[in-house]
Amino acid sequence: MVVDSTIERHTIAVLVDNEAGVLARVIGLFSGRGYNIESLTVAETDTADAISRITVVTSGTPQIIEQIKAQLNRLVPVHRVVDLTAEGANVERELALVKVAGKGDKRVEALRIADIFRARAIDSTNESFVFEISGATEKLNAFIDLMVPLGLVDVSRTGVVAIARGKSAL
Amino acid sequence: MADQQMNGSEIIIKALVNEGVDTIFGYPGGAVLPIYDAIFQQNQLKHVLVRQEGGAVHMAEGYARSTGKVGCVLVTSGPGATNAVTGLTDALMDSIPIVCLTGQVPTHLIGNDAFQEADTTGITRPCTKHNYLVKDIADLPRIMHEAFYVARSGRPGPVVVDLPKDILMAMGTYKNLTQVEHKTYQPRLKAEKNEIEKAVAMIAAAKKPLFYCGGGVINSGLKASKQLDRLIKLTGAPVTLTLMGLGAYPATDKQFLGMLGMHGTYEANLAMHDADLIVAVGARFDDRVTGRLNAFAPNSKKIHIDIDPSSINKNVVVDLPVVGDVGTILDQMLRAWKAKGLKTNQKALKAWWKQIDEWRERDCLKYNQTGTVIKPQYAIERLYEATKDRDCYITTEVGQHQMWAAQYYKFDEPKRWMTSGGLGTMGYGLPAAIGVQVAHPESLVVDISGEASFLMNMQEMSTAVQARAPVKVFITNNQYMGMVRQWQELMHGSRYSESYTDALPDLVKLAEACHWVGLRATKADEVDDVIQEMISIDRPVIADIWVDQKENCFPMIPSGAAHNEMLLGPDDEAEQSGSEEGMVLV
Ligand SMILES: Cc1cc2nc3c(=O)[nH]c(=O)nc-3n(C[C@H](O)[C@H](O)[C@H](O)COP(=O)(O)OP(=O)(O)OC[C@H]3O[C@@H](n4cnc5c(N)ncnc54)[C@H](O)[C@@H]3O)c2cc1C
Ligand SMILES: Cc1ncc(C[n+]2csc(CCOP(=O)(O)OP(=O)(O)O)c2C)c(N)n1
Ligand SMILES: [Mg+2]
């Protein structure tokens, strides 16, 4: 059969038992087998059953993406692996805290751009702002790029979280 | 039965006994002394004291592979656990069910660099199917039973249970949870009806079908081999086996083409190359089997039956994946075949067999035993002739002798052949043989060995004596790391860098010093006598067979080559200059 070698970017949701070492298993799988992690987020989403949701953005050929899902499914504490990219429409969001230091015109310009991007200033001093911005990864990238000449000093990002559109659960 | 109060060590013993464990291979140390104390005070579990923890895991592998049961290991914390790592990796690669109990420092000291502390779950995470650190005595019964369930279910593998010493001594309640369902790990066993129907239709339509079967058939159990036999006889198709699959189909049957792959037969590899349908059954398209991927079976459709979805489309993209247990699926296929009254294309099959018979005429495994120098192939063939009608199990080490054993020893039944395939661990064979012998005290167990591999775990000779395991180590002694020398000949201009073993011990005297019997053959006409004597002695024996030091193992598909670019003998070898791409491959 013909092997497809185009590189695709996929967002995969993994429901796991929230137990010691589970994140190490997932990360170790990616590093040990040489798969990419573009972003990874994790938090408990079902406290009653102690289930965490990991959202991982990865890239590879269709064959590699299939392997990644099969390998994740093989881990004993994994309940479900859902390829949100393959399943259809989904929304992805990321949150960033962006610190910009400066005075005068640059300060004004930073505020103006923040407004355009719907970023909120959540901390401010005479010489700095911390903006909170959320949205698609590309939007965050664009905002951060624009802040560089205006005195960007620090960035903290959450990585992507994603959820399928429509009424059904994972 | 009422729940019972007992300490952690007693819970462990109870759980082991309820899981059907009769033998545990282990080595004591501070962190596991409470378990050893519990072992001392019972008589349901037999403990085999090894000489190095690495040996314990290989013994458990031999035990497991030859019985179909889970092999069980007990080692102490720190160095005990780290010594077990090679065996665990070996078991992971070859899908062998193992439960390995490791001692750990008490919970309150974990993370403090305490004496003999190692991050065992961290170290073994990538080399186990799953592992556990028990932090609460209340979890112990569940984890013990879960460990066995995970080790044996789906694609089998090794599981580590790390046991802090305070847990071993804490009081708890034992519940027999052998029948409890696992909440997440539920491998699929049965295939969908439409998958089965497609599969049998593809087989019926094929003109040049070939069954390529592997270790998964053996993992699935004796019934799977029986069903495989039926399906192959029913379809009249040829069958080849991987190194791990030997014995899954009778080697003496005429539909068997021999092993395939790097050191497989001419007919098996060319059939693979020319087939129009490959039915992979419990085999994982390993690089030793496929050769150069872009030239692998170029004109074939492929069906892949495997219990592990990650084996499918990993190396080779297939047309029809069928996920599930081999035995169950073959059963479904047989029923579907009969229900639909399918027939194969007799005319096409006849032409296919004619082609295969022409390949067979090359007689790719022939060798010349002339003169007094013993050919290693001859030694193994004579061993086969002398033992084929006996209740015999064979293990191997890793190297040329392993490949010759695979080529010249014919296995007609599953579970009779234990070898380290995926990891290729030198030093596997002797401890594995001891494990097999402990499980089958009345049987003949022979480790076909190379002298270099034997030295890797020869401390276990002492275990064999103590465990009254009269194993035989049959060494094709070429004084070389023969497999390494062969590659150096092929790829590195015959510069034999560090592949000659100087200063070998006198293996006959070594045997005697270890309370074994040592025998030696240096001429071809001595081989049969030595084999007969070896078999007749009811004690462990080393048979030191001095073989031709220059002999190489053929056929061979060099790394990076395709199935139809096989070397059949030294003359081909002379023409070969290893390809650049091939050189970087292992
Ligand atoms: C020096 C050396 C040379 C070698 N040369 C060769 C060679 O020439 N030819 C060769 O074949 N090998 C060779 N090997 C061995 C090779 O490295 C692999 O170990 C071997 O080919 C793998 O065998 P397998 O495909 O049967 O898979 P295994 O490793 O036995 O894996 C079994 C497969 O079956 C699946 N499975 C397990 N249980 C079940 C079940 N119940 N139902 C369905 N599926 C199941 C598993 O998921 C897995 O995919 C060599 C090794 C060494 C050390
Ligand atoms: C633990 C380990 N180290 C190194 C190797 C690499 N290796 C593969 S075969 C081989 C030589 C084996 O020599 P011997 O046991 O004498 O067998 P022969 O090939 O001569 O039959 C070596 C060093 C290995 N497989 N395992
Ligand atoms: Mg040797």
Side-chain angles (χ1 to χ4, degrees):
Chain A
M1 284 186 94
V2 189
V3 179
D4 185 352
S5 59
T6 47
I7 303 285
E8 298 175 354
R9 180 176 182 273
H10 281 240
T11 304
I12 298 171
V14 192
L15 294 186
V16 298
D17 279 330
N18 184 15
E19 61 181 34
V22 66
L23 190 58
R25 286 183 211 285
V26 170
I27 292 172
L29 191 161
F30 276 78
S31 64
R33 293 185 182 268
Y35 305 142
N36 287 321
I37 299 184
E38 289 186 8
S39 121
L40 184 140
T41 64
V42 56
E44 192 171 81
T45 50
D46 178 345
T47 38
D49 288 333
I51 289 176
S52 290
R53 179 166 173 143
I54 298 175
T55 307
V56 51
V57 182
T58 183
S59 58
T61 62
Q63 200 183 346
I64 294 286
I65 300 285
E66 187 188 335
Q67 263 298 301
I68 291 174
K69 290 184 274 182
Q71 293 290 353
L72 283 168
N73 252 316
R74 227 152 73 109
L75 299 177
V76 171
V78 166
H79 288 254
R80 259 162 82 60
V81 177
V82 178
D83 183 344
L84 293 169
T85 307
E87 295 276 298
N90 66 86
V91 279
E92 295 190 9
R93 287 290 179 271
E94 192 180 350
L95 184 138
L97 302 178
V98 180
K99 185 180 287 186
V100 181
K103 288 181 179 164
D105 288 352
K106 287 192 174 173
R107 205 170 142 78
V108 178
E109 179 66 0
L111 259 188
R112 197 181 67 80
I113 292 174
D115 192 43
I116 295 170
F117 276 79
R118 288 184 235 271
R120 291 197 299 143
I122 55 170
D123 175 66
S124 94
T125 67
N126 286 341
E127 293 179 28
S128 69
F129 288 117
V130 173
F131 295 113
E132 174 196 316
I133 177 168
S134 75
T137 298
E138 299 74 38
K139 172 180 160 185
L140 268 57
N141 291 345
F143 179 71
I144 291 163
D145 285 348
L146 288 171
M147 288 298 128
V148 171
L150 303 178
L152 179 82
V153 290
D154 208 3
V155 180
S156 177
R157 297 171 71 149
T158 58
V160 172
V161 292
I163 205 158
R165 289 183 186 276
K167 64 178 181 188
S168 42
L170 198 63
Chain B
M1 194 175 61
D3 297 345
Q4 300 163 48
Q5 278 284 105
M6 56 186 87
N7 73 26
S9 301
E10 290 160 345
I11 290 178
I12 289 165
I13 304 283
K14 260 262 169 338
L16 294 177
V17 169
N18 285 339
E19 288 291 345
V21 176
D22 52 27
T23 308
I24 183 161
F25 301 91
Y27 203 86
V32 285
L33 284 180
I35 306 185
Y36 274 87
D37 205 34
I39 288 175
F40 189 82
Q41 299 180 48
Q42 55 82 48
N43 53 18
Q44 286 165 292
L45 257 186
K46 174 172 159 189
H47 180 273
V48 173
L49 178 65
V50 306
R51 296 300 181 268
Q52 206 261 22
E53 292 85 351
V57 189
H58 295 320
M59 284 179 211
E61 287 185 277
Y63 177 98
R65 189 70 166 184
S66 66
T67 58
K69 290 165 52 174
V70 177
C72 200
V73 178
L74 170 60
V75 299
T76 193
S77 67
T82 55
N83 273 347
V85 165
T86 300
L88 294 170
T89 313
D90 194 89
L92 183 72
M93 293 289 270
D94 285 346
S95 304
I96 312 288
I98 298 288
V99 168
C100 177
L101 309 177
T102 57
Q104 183 54 278
V105 301
T107 42
H108 66 275
L109 287 181
I110 288 178
N112 275 358
D113 297 326
F115 177 63
Q116 295 198 325
E117 178 181 1
D119 175 8
T120 300
T121 47
I123 290 169
T124 61
R125 201 172 289 125
C127 65
T128 52
K129 183 173 172 186
H130 193 51
N131 62 19
Y132 300 88
L133 169 62
V134 185
K135 282 185 161 165
D136 184 344
I137 182 78
D139 294 333
L140 185 59
R142 173 185 61 82
I143 289 178
M144 283 300 298
H145 290 296
E146 217 179 278
F148 278 85
Y149 169 79
V150 170
R152 76 164 85 86
S153 310
R155 179 180 187 167
V159 175
V160 160
V161 183
D162 202 22
L163 298 158
K165 194 170 182 182
D166 52 329
I167 300 288
L168 300 179
M169 303 176 77
M171 291 304 283
T173 312
Y174 176 70
K175 273 201 192 73
N176 184 344
L177 302 172
T178 39
Q179 306 299 330
V180 173
E181 270 212 5
H182 196 275
K183 61 180 171 178
T184 53
Y185 188 66
Q186 308 279 0
R188 170 177 129 155
L189 301 178
K190 219 175 140 189
E192 304 289 342
K193 191 162 169 239
N194 65 323
E195 295 170 330
I196 297 292
E197 285 177 356
K198 266 191 216 155
V200 290
M202 282 167 83
I203 296 172
K207 296 194 166 111
K208 301 193 228 170
L210 175 62
F211 281 82
Y212 145 56
C213 312
V217 182
I218 305 206
N219 286 132
S220 181
L222 293 175
K223 190 186 127 215
S225 288
K226 292 215 175 76
Q227 300 298 55
L228 181 67
D229 198 79
R230 287 204 186 103
L231 188 64
I232 288 186
K233 301 269 159 65
L234 204 60
T235 57
V239 53
T240 178
L241 296 170
T242 67
L243 182 76
M244 292 308 293
L246 296 179
Y249 186 85
T252 51
D253 184 83
K254 59 184 189 313
Q255 280 171 261
F256 180 57
L257 306 189
M259 181 172 81
L260 83 166
M262 183 172 272
H263 292 292
T265 64
Y266 187 68
E267 50 272 31
N269 285 330
L270 287 192
M272 208 62 183
H273 189 79
D274 278 17
D276 71 347
L277 176 71
I278 288 171
V279 188
V281 186
R284 58 184 173 84
F285 293 93
D286 184 76
D287 52 61
R288 245 35 6 184
V289 161
T290 60
R292 193 169 75 241
L293 274 176
N294 61 10
F296 173 68
N299 306 313
S300 65
K301 291 235 182 283
K302 297 171 193 80
I303 302 172
H304 190 179
I305 302 171
D306 203 295
I307 204 160
D308 179 356
S310 82
S311 280
I312 288 170
N313 293 339
K314 174 158 54 182
N315 303 326
V316 169
V317 178
V318 298
D319 302 84
L320 179 65
V322 187
V323 173
D325 168 56
V326 166
T328 314
I329 288 173
L330 290 178
D331 218 43
Q332 290 178 280
M333 285 170 73
L334 280 166
R335 280 169 212 271
W337 186 277
K338 286 177 190 153
K340 292 188 175 295
L342 292 176
K343 296 242 157 26
T344 42
N345 180 338
Q346 289 299 321
K347 206 173 140 219
L349 264 184
K350 217 172 146 198
W352 181 221
W353 273 111
K354 186 163 168 278
Q355 169 69 76
I356 289 170
D357 287 337
E358 277 167 30
W359 290 327
R360 269 181 169 161
E361 272 165 30
R362 283 295 289 261
D363 196 6
C364 67
L365 294 179
K366 74 168 173 289
Y367 60 89
N368 286 326
Q369 177 58 62
T370 49
T372 56
V373 179
I374 304 168
K375 290 285 180 192
Q377 300 94 321
Y378 173 76
I380 290 169
E381 212 161 51
R382 297 311 297 164
L383 178 69
Y384 168 66
E385 290 300 332
T387 56
K388 65 180 180 187
D389 296 325
R390 288 174 170 260
D391 170 17
C392 182
Y393 293 83
I394 300 287
T395 71
T396 75
E397 307 288 343
V398 172
Q400 291 180 321
H401 62 277
Q402 177 190 26
M403 294 299 111
W404 285 316
Q407 293 171 334
Y408 294 93
Y409 202 104
K410 299 190 180 68
F411 296 91
D412 280 341
E413 286 173 31
K415 300 191 198 296
R416 297 279 171 172
W417 160 250
M418 324 319 119
T419 197
S420 170
L423 198 63
T425 311
M426 291 170 71
Y428 164 90
L430 168 59
I434 297 171
V436 175
Q437 186 82 76
V438 167
H440 309 275
E442 303 305 324
S443 308
L444 176 65
V445 183
V446 184
D447 169 28
I448 297 180
S449 178
E451 77 297 333
S453 295
F454 174 69
L455 295 194
M456 283 231 175
N457 264 330
M458 66 182 195
Q459 77 284 349
E460 302 306 333
M461 291 175 79
S462 174
T463 306
V465 176
Q466 187 169 346
R468 299 192 198 291
V471 296
K472 318 297 179 215
V473 178
F474 188 79
I475 302 180
T476 58
N477 185 347
N478 53 10
Q479 293 201 32
Y480 275 97
M481 297 170 201
M483 186 59 85
V484 173
R485 181 185 47 67
Q486 179 165 348
W487 280 53
Q488 289 173 333
E489 233 161 72
L490 215 60
M491 312 267 193
H492 298 277
S494 295
R495 290 177 294 280
Y496 298 153
S497 179
E498 304 293 327
S499 54
Y500 180 74
T501 318
D502 221 340
L504 274 178
D506 179 326
L507 294 170
V508 171
K509 285 191 184 147
L510 176 73
E512 285 158 9
C514 295
H515 316 293
W516 285 39
V517 175
L519 306 172
R520 177 171 292 139
T522 58
K523 298 193 197 72
D525 61 7
E526 295 166 358
V527 171
D528 282 344
D529 288 346
V530 165
I531 291 173
Q532 282 312 327
E533 197 178 345
M534 173 183 91
I535 295 172
S536 68
I537 296 171
D538 189 27
R539 284 169 55 197
V541 179
I542 288 182
D544 181 20
I545 314 290
W546 289 13
V547 298
D548 187 346
Q549 298 194 354
K550 294 283 174 201
E551 193 66 22
N552 280 344
C553 185
F554 293 106
M556 176 174 187
I557 303 173
S559 282
H563 282 164
N564 58 352
E565 297 165 358
M566 211 175 324
L567 312 179
L568 287 175
D571 301 339
D572 288 352
E573 188 180 2
E575 291 165 22
Q576 167 79 17
S577 57
S579 73
E580 286 273 323
E581 287 140 71
M583 290 263 296
V584 303
L585 300 174
V586 182

